[in-house]
């Protein structure tokens, strides 16, 4: 501590001593000649002053000083003297007052207005403000009038070593490849010092390493960090922590220092080969494993990381190179052994492979360290599995003639059990591929037979699927007689195989040829002998190997046809020719020509087709114009226009008749209500039954009563009652003298109080209308037939009262029929 205090005092007093040596001549000097005084404008040189200038020259101010300096961070008990202001106009009579203004005047710097001494009254920091610009002026003490213009000067704050170096960007991180040579540059760091770099060594920095040796070194002045050891191995140590120091004062004693850390990470290079964890691997795999399935995994470890650790795998030797393959897993960095071809336990039970792992990215700088690859041995044991049956062929092609007999053998399929047990095989047909059940198969030997007749013309190919099922046979011993018993159980449906069978139906000559289409020939009346009337062709549904060849001939009884002849063409077609001219439609309009068509099959088949030849009228150029009966009509003197006019007149007469009948029907429309109208809403009452109120004999009140329901209650027939209504007591027969109005009111009251009645009271239905009436019921509410089906002729038989009604309904029905 005393040593540190001595260093600080030395740094503080050294500038003060220098200032004390140079300050007296700078602060105060004797007055100079007027010709050497600095003015506020330009300098007057003595050699060039004329006499006129000496006469007009007046006295100017005469300030004399250099730049003032003051030490920063000074904290003495009294204000520090910075300097003194003085003018040559001051005779020492104390009549001049000095005034200070500008940066820090009065707050930081204070002036003695009599002596001109300037003191710093506050502690200064050069890093905050390095210099202050102030203005000095001398004024009269009594009047405060300026004696000279104001003048500016500068006070500079002199630096001391009060700031330690700082690493503004620390801590630092850097990388360098492993196995680098000695002196490989890692990075560089930079420290800053807030002290004045111009004055002294306060800002002169020197760098050094406090921790991190002997692995790294640093340049003292440039701060470049380099490797101090060669061939540093990342696999041994990947990360290093380096502590760096920066010290000012050129690194001398008493200087201030700052530190930072640098983390150096060694990046990976491919300097390590892959290495299998073990030299021998054992795997087992069932023989029925699917192709492409993983058999096992091998891994070669590499101490490197990233792409430097990537390895490729390959099978370089062994007896299973054709059956297995190995691929690299980029994520797990291991090799996956997969199956390429099917395995067979009965053929070979084990395989040996030699696999190799090699680095993908090899650095040639380290090739001298040896091959970057490794090998291992893999043994694979094949396990027995219950395999499905195997057909002798992947597909079958069978041929059968279409006339083959039923139950005849078409072909045979064979299959075997590849397992050691060699279980028996049962064959069947997948009926989804043989919906019509045209084929059968023997379950034991696989012979396919014909079940239904075949027709090549309907279907040439039949594609079916044969199923082979393995049958499990159990072998047991009877304890009683110690004899063997073989028992066959149901098929193992998990072990089945399928094979497609294509059956081609071969053709036989079983179809006779016939015309390719329905031909109708037209013969012109003005045709010439030998003219081709029609060219026809034949077709045959069969398909002979050498193609079709048809023979044409006329019937034997028409071989010497007087009118027509035939000619075979080279394209297997037939031309019909006319033997003469002068055909007349009036004599014969149509000719029928039977033609025999035979094929070249074995045996040959033939058929007879008839060609219809119609005689027509043609133009001179031979263009057919008409082949109908018009030729017979035109000669009697009626043209086509006349026929059209007659037809138009007939149609007009028919229209007139229809209009007349329609008008008459509207005129004779009946006065009664139409059948489709609701008579219940239109017929309100009948008032032609009696002779008025005085005629008491014409209306019997007893007819309104139901004599059959006197002793009981008859429910309504128009609705089904929801509530059971208690039947009311039947009324006794009322004499004829009872008032009808009173009777109706009583009935109306009963209907209104009936809970089973509908909410409307305008329709009151009576199920009884009297007995012994000749007419029966006139109500249509319970009629079982519609109005359109009724015959009203019987109304005339009911008497004179219904005669008029019968006439009205009869007129209505007659109009409908019209």
């Amino acid at each position: 501590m005393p040593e540190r205090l001595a260093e600080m005092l030395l740094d503080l007093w050294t500038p003060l001593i220098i200032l004390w040596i140079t300050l007296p001549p700078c602060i105060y000097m004797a007055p100079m000649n007027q010709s050497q005084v600095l003015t506020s404008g330009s300098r007057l040189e003595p050699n060039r002053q004329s006499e006129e200038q000496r006469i007009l020259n007046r006295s100017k101010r005469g300030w004399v000083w250099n730049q003032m300096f003051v030490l920063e961070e000074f904290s003495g008990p009294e204000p520090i003297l910075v300097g003194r202001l003085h003018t040559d106009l001051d005779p020492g009579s104390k009549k001049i007052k000095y005034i200070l203004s500008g940066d820090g005047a009065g707050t930081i710097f204070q002036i003695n207005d009599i002596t001109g001494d300037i003191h710093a009254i506050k502690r200064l920091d050069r890093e905050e403000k390095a210099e202050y610009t102030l203005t000095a002026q001398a004024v009269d003490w009594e009047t405060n009038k300026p004696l000279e213009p104001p003048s500016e000067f500068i006070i500079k704050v002199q630096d001391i070593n009060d700031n330690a170096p700082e690493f503004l960007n620390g801590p630092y991180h850097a990388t360098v490849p492993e196995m680098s040579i000695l002196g490989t540059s890692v990075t560089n760091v930079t420290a800053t010092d807030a002290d004045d770099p111009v004055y002294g060594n306060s800002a002169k920095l020197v760098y050094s390493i406090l921790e991190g040796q002997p692995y790294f070194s640093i340049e003292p002045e440039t701060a470049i960090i380099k490797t101090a050891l060669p061939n540093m191995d990342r696999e041994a140590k990947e990360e290093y922590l380096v502590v760096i120091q920066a010290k000012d004062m050129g690194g001398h004693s008493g200087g201030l220092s700052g530190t930072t850390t640098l983390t150096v990470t060694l990046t990976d290079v491919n300097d390590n080969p892959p290495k299998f964890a073990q030299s021998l691997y054992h795997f087992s795999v069932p023989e029925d494993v699917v192709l492409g399935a993983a058999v096992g995994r091998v891994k070669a470890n590499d101490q490197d990381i990233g792409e430097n650790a990537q390895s490729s795998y390959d099978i370089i030797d062994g007896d299973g190179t054709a059956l297995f393959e190995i691929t690299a897993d980029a994520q797990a960095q291991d090799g996956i052994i997969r199956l390429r071809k099917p395995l067979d336990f009965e053929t070979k039970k084990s395989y040996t492979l030699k696999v190799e792992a090699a680095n993908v990215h090899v650095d040639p700088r380290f090739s001298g360290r040896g091959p970057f690859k490794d090998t291992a041995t893999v043994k694979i044991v094949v396990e027995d599995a219950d395999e499905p049956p195997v057909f002798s062929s992947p597909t079958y092609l069978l041929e059968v003639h279409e006339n083959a007999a039923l139950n005849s053998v078409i072909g045979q399929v064979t299959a075997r059990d590849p397992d050691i047990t060699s279980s028996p095989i049962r064959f069947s047909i997948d009926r989804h591929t043989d919906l019509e059940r045209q084929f059968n198969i023997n379950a034991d030997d696989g012979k396919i037979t014909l079940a239904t007749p075949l027709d090549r013309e309907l279907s040439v190919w039949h594609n079916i699927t044969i199923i082979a099922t393995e049958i499990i046979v159990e072998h047991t011993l009877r304890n009683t007689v110690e004899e063997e018993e073989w028992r066959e159980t149901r098929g193992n449906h998990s072990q089945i195989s399928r094979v497609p069978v294509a059956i081609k139906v071969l053709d036989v000559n079983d179809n006779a040829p016939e015309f390719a289409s329905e031909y109708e020939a037209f013969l012109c009346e003005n045709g010439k002998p030998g003219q081709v009337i029609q060219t026809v062709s034949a077709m045959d549904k069969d398909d002979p190997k050498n193609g079709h060849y048809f023979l044409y001939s006329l019937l034997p009884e028409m071989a010497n046809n007087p009118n027509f002849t035939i000619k075979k063409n080279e394209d297997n077609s037939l031309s019909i020719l006319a033997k003469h001219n002068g055909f007349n439609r009036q004599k014969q309009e149509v000719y029928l020509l039977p033609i025999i068509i035979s094929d070249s099959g074995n045996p040959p088949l033939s058929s007879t087709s008839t060609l219809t030849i119609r005689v027509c009228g043609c133009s001179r150029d031979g263009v057919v114009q008409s082949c109908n009966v018009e030729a017979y009509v035109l000669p009697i003197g009626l043209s086509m226009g006349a026929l059209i006019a007659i037809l138009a007149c007939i149609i007009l007469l028919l229209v007139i008749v229809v209009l007349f009948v329609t008008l008459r029907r509207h005129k004779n429309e009946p006065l009664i209500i139409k059948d489709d109208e609701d008579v219940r809403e239109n017929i309100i009452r009948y008032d032609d039954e009696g002779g008025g109120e005085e005629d008491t004999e014409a209306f019997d009140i007893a007819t309104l009563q139901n004599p059959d329901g006197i002793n009981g209650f008859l429910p309504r027939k128009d609705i089904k009652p929801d509530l059971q209504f208690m039947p009311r007591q039947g009324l006794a027969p009322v004499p004829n003298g009872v008032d009808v109005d009173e009777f109706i009111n009583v009935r109306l009251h009963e209907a209104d109080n009936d809970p089973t009645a509908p909410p409307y009271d305008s329709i009151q239905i009576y199920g009884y209308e009297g007995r012994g009436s000749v007419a029966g019921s006139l109500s249509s509410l319970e009629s079982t037939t519609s109005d359109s089906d009724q015959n009203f002729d019987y109304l005339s038989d009911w008497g004179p009262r219904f005669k008029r009604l019968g006439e009205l309904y009869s007129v209505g029905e007659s109009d409908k029929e019209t």
Side-chain angles (χ1 to χ4, degrees):
M1 187 66 184
E3 183 181 0
R4 179 65 177 171
L5 182 59
E7 292 179 357
M8 294 183 61
L9 291 176
L10 179 61
D11 293 338
L12 180 62
W13 287 104
T14 301
L16 293 176
I17 296 173
I18 297 174
L19 181 62
W20 177 76
I21 296 173
T22 59
L23 189 58
C26 298
I27 297 179
Y28 175 76
M29 296 181 66
M32 301 176 61
N33 296 329
Q34 290 184 353
S35 59
Q36 298 176 352
V37 175
L38 294 174
T39 65
S40 58
S42 60
R43 181 184 301 270
L44 298 179
E45 298 182 2
N47 297 336
R48 299 180 181 179
Q49 289 181 350
S50 60
E51 184 65 22
E52 182 181 1
Q53 288 174 333
R54 291 191 184 97
I55 298 173
L56 297 177
N57 223 350
R58 65 180 180 87
S59 296
K60 296 290 182 95
R61 61 181 175 82
W63 303 109
V64 180
W65 67 83
N66 291 331
Q67 288 183 343
M68 294 185 181
F69 296 89
V70 61
L71 288 176
E72 65 170 337
E73 304 294 343
F74 181 79
S75 57
E78 296 181 358
I80 184 175
L81 178 63
V82 178
R84 178 178 296 172
L85 298 181
H86 190 72
T87 178
D88 53 359
L89 299 179
D90 185 5
S93 59
K94 299 182 181 180
K95 293 183 179 182
I96 297 178
K97 181 170 65 175
Y98 297 96
I99 298 175
L100 185 65
S101 61
D103 295 341
T107 58
I108 299 176
F109 301 102
Q110 192 176 40
I111 190 172
N112 189 320
D113 52 1
I114 299 175
T115 62
D117 294 338
I118 301 175
H119 292 81
I121 61 176
K122 283 187 177 182
R123 184 175 181 178
L124 301 179
D125 189 356
R126 189 200 66 85
E127 287 70 34
E128 293 182 1
K129 193 173 180 64
E131 61 182 28
Y132 297 85
T133 302
L134 296 99
T135 302
Q137 189 175 23
V139 298
D140 186 82
W141 184 270
E142 296 178 354
T143 63
N144 286 331
K145 292 183 178 180
L147 301 178
E148 288 186 356
S151 180
E152 290 185 352
F153 65 97
I154 297 174
I155 298 177
K156 287 188 175 183
V157 181
Q158 195 173 19
D159 182 51
I160 63 172
N161 189 17
D162 59 342
N163 292 279
E166 294 182 358
F167 293 91
L168 301 180
N169 298 325
Y172 297 87
H173 296 271
T175 59
V176 63
E178 64 171 332
M179 310 305 291
S180 297
I181 62 174
L182 179 66
T184 302
S185 177
V186 179
T187 186
N188 67 317
V189 297
T190 302
T192 59
D193 196 323
D195 293 328
D196 190 359
V198 179
Y199 180 77
N201 295 326
S202 298
K204 186 177 181 180
L205 305 180
V206 175
Y207 298 90
S208 61
I209 292 179
L210 300 181
E211 295 182 14
Q213 295 175 341
Y215 305 104
F216 302 96
S217 63
I218 189 171
E219 292 288 339
E221 297 181 357
T222 60
I224 298 176
I225 295 96
K226 299 181 180 180
T227 58
L229 290 178
N231 301 329
M232 287 189 292
D233 192 0
R234 185 198 64 83
E235 289 73 29
K237 186 176 181 180
E238 183 177 7
E239 192 173 89
Y240 296 86
L241 182 64
V242 181
V243 179
I244 303 171
Q245 175 185 263
K247 190 174 183 180
D248 57 12
M249 298 299 294
H252 295 146
S253 177
L256 303 179
S257 63
T259 60
T260 187
T261 59
L262 168 65
T263 302
V264 181
T265 303
L266 298 183
T267 58
D268 185 61
V269 297
N270 192 8
D271 59 339
N272 294 282
K275 185 69 175 178
F276 281 105
Q278 56 193 66
S279 59
L280 181 62
Y281 293 86
H282 292 274
F283 300 108
S284 60
V285 57
E287 63 174 331
D288 60 349
V289 67
V290 296
L291 298 181
V295 177
R297 288 174 176 260
V298 296
K299 184 172 183 179
N301 298 319
D302 195 326
Q303 296 182 2
D304 297 324
I305 59 175
E307 66 176 13
N308 295 323
Q310 292 180 2
S311 298
S312 62
Y313 295 87
D314 193 15
I315 299 176
I316 60 176
D317 196 7
D319 55 359
T321 56
L323 278 74
F324 301 93
E325 64 180 359
I326 187 170
T327 57
D329 187 349
Q331 298 296 330
Q333 294 295 326
D334 54 4
I336 306 174
I337 300 175
R338 299 182 184 274
L339 184 64
R340 294 178 56 187
K341 294 183 179 180
L343 299 175
D344 189 4
F345 173 80
E346 291 71 23
T347 303
K348 190 174 179 59
K349 297 179 176 57
S350 65
Y351 296 90
T352 302
L353 305 175
K354 187 177 182 180
V355 296
E356 179 185 74
N359 276 147
V360 177
H361 306 282
V362 179
D363 194 336
R365 296 178 299 173
F366 309 103
S367 58
R369 295 195 172 196
F372 283 80
K373 60 181 65 175
D374 193 18
T375 59
T377 302
V378 178
K379 288 189 176 182
I380 302 174
V381 177
V382 181
E383 297 178 349
D384 188 21
D386 189 9
E387 299 177 85
V390 178
F391 283 96
S392 58
S393 176
T395 58
Y396 291 88
L397 176 61
L398 305 179
E399 294 181 347
V400 58
H401 287 89
E402 60 178 327
N403 61 350
L406 297 181
N407 298 322
S408 60
V409 178
I410 300 174
Q412 184 180 10
V413 296
T414 59
R416 64 178 181 86
D417 182 11
D419 299 324
I420 297 178
T421 57
S422 186
S423 301
I425 306 299
R426 289 294 178 89
F427 299 95
S428 62
I429 297 177
D430 186 356
R431 290 304 176 182
H432 293 91
T433 60
D434 184 25
L435 297 177
E436 298 180 359
R437 295 182 176 271
Q438 294 182 292
F439 305 96
N440 291 326
I441 189 170
N442 190 300
D444 296 326
D445 56 12
K447 292 182 178 180
I448 302 173
T449 57
L450 185 63
T452 59
L454 300 176
D455 189 355
R456 190 205 64 85
E457 286 70 36
L458 295 179
S459 179
V460 179
W461 289 95
H462 296 272
N463 297 306
I464 62 176
T465 299
I466 304 300
I467 302 174
T469 305
E470 179 183 340
I471 302 301
I472 300 176
V473 177
E474 295 183 357
H475 177 241
T476 60
L477 290 176
R478 290 182 181 178
N479 296 329
T480 57
V481 295
E482 294 296 330
E483 63 180 0
E484 295 183 355
E485 177 187 9
W486 293 87
R487 183 166 60 89
E488 185 178 283
T489 63
R490 59 183 177 87
N492 184 7
H493 295 286
S494 63
Q495 299 299 337
I496 63 173
S497 298
R498 299 173 182 266
V499 67
V501 177
I503 301 175
K504 182 179 180 180
V505 182
L506 302 179
D507 183 53
V508 295
N509 192 23
D510 58 347
N511 292 278
E514 57 186 4
F515 277 159
S517 63
E518 294 291 336
Y519 292 101
E520 185 178 10
F522 299 96
L523 174 63
C524 293
E525 290 180 315
N526 56 357
K528 298 179 181 180
Q531 181 180 358
V532 177
I533 301 174
Q534 182 72 38
T535 300
V536 297
S537 60
M539 59 168 291
D540 194 337
K541 296 180 180 178
D542 297 324
D543 187 17
K545 294 182 179 180
N546 299 325
H548 292 288
Y549 182 78
F550 301 114
L551 298 176
Y552 301 92
S553 63
L554 299 176
L555 292 177
E557 59 271 18
M558 298 185 64
N560 297 322
N561 191 301
N563 298 316
F564 308 100
T565 184
I566 59 176
K567 178 183 178 183
K568 175 68 181 298
N569 299 323
E570 295 181 357
D571 60 353
N572 217 14
S573 62
L574 179 70
S575 296
I576 292 89
L577 294 81
K579 282 188 174 182
H580 61 83
N581 57 1
F583 291 91
N584 192 342
R585 283 177 294 172
Q586 297 179 359
K587 292 182 179 181
Q588 186 173 352
E589 183 182 1
V590 178
Y591 294 89
L592 300 179
L593 182 63
I595 299 175
I596 301 175
I597 309 174
S598 303
D599 59 18
S600 57
N602 186 17
L605 298 178
S606 62
S607 67
T608 301
S609 300
T610 302
L611 176 66
T612 302
I613 303 175
R614 188 178 300 276
V615 181
C616 302
C618 303
S619 63
R620 295 181 179 180
D621 299 332
V623 179
V624 177
Q625 292 182 341
S626 176
C627 297
N628 51 23
V629 296
E630 179 188 354
Y632 297 98
V633 179
L634 293 177
I636 63 177
L638 293 178
S639 63
M640 181 62 69
L643 291 176
I644 295 175
I646 293 173
L647 183 60
C649 293
I650 294 174
I651 295 174
L652 181 61
L653 289 175
L654 291 176
V655 172
I656 294 174
V657 172
V658 171
L659 291 175
F660 177 75
V661 173
T662 303
L663 293 175
R664 182 174 180 180
R665 181 179 179 183
H666 285 291
K667 184 181 297 184
N668 296 331
E669 203 170 49
L671 298 177
I672 63 173
I673 301 171
K674 294 183 180 180
D675 298 335
D676 55 351
E677 293 182 356
D678 193 353
V679 298
R680 294 175 296 176
E681 297 180 1
N682 295 291
I683 299 176
I684 299 176
R685 69 180 181 275
Y686 294 96
D687 53 2
D688 56 353
E689 294 285 340
E693 296 180 357
E694 300 296 334
D695 188 4
T696 59
E697 298 294 331
F699 182 77
D700 188 2
I701 191 65
T703 60
L704 295 177
Q705 300 176 354
N706 186 359
D708 297 334
I710 295 176
N711 298 326
F713 171 73
L714 295 178
R716 297 172 61 93
K717 296 183 179 180
D718 57 337
I719 62 173
K720 182 178 180 180
D722 296 331
L723 300 175
Q724 186 65 31
F725 182 70
M726 297 300 295
R728 62 177 179 268
Q729 183 66 29
L731 300 176
V734 181
N736 295 338
V738 177
D739 187 11
V740 177
D741 187 28
E742 181 180 357
F743 175 77
I744 292 177
N745 290 332
V746 172
R747 293 297 186 184
L748 180 61
H749 177 72
E750 292 178 355
D752 291 339
N753 295 327
D754 187 0
T756 62
Y760 45 85
D761 56 2
S762 61
I763 299 177
Q764 186 67 26
I765 301 171
Y766 290 91
Y768 183 80
E769 294 184 0
R771 62 174 61 178
S773 175
V774 180
S777 176
L778 296 179
S779 175
S780 62
L781 298 177
E782 296 180 357
S783 177
T784 58
T785 60
S786 62
D787 296 338
S788 61
D789 298 333
Q790 295 181 6
N791 187 2
F792 299 96
D793 295 336
Y794 61 87
L795 295 176
S796 300
D797 301 331
W798 288 0
R801 291 187 178 184
F802 297 94
K803 184 176 181 180
R804 179 58 180 166
L805 186 63
E807 291 176 357
L808 294 175
Y809 275 87
S810 298
V811 172
E813 293 297 319
S814 63
D815 291 342
K816 290 181 180 180
E817 294 176 359
T818 304

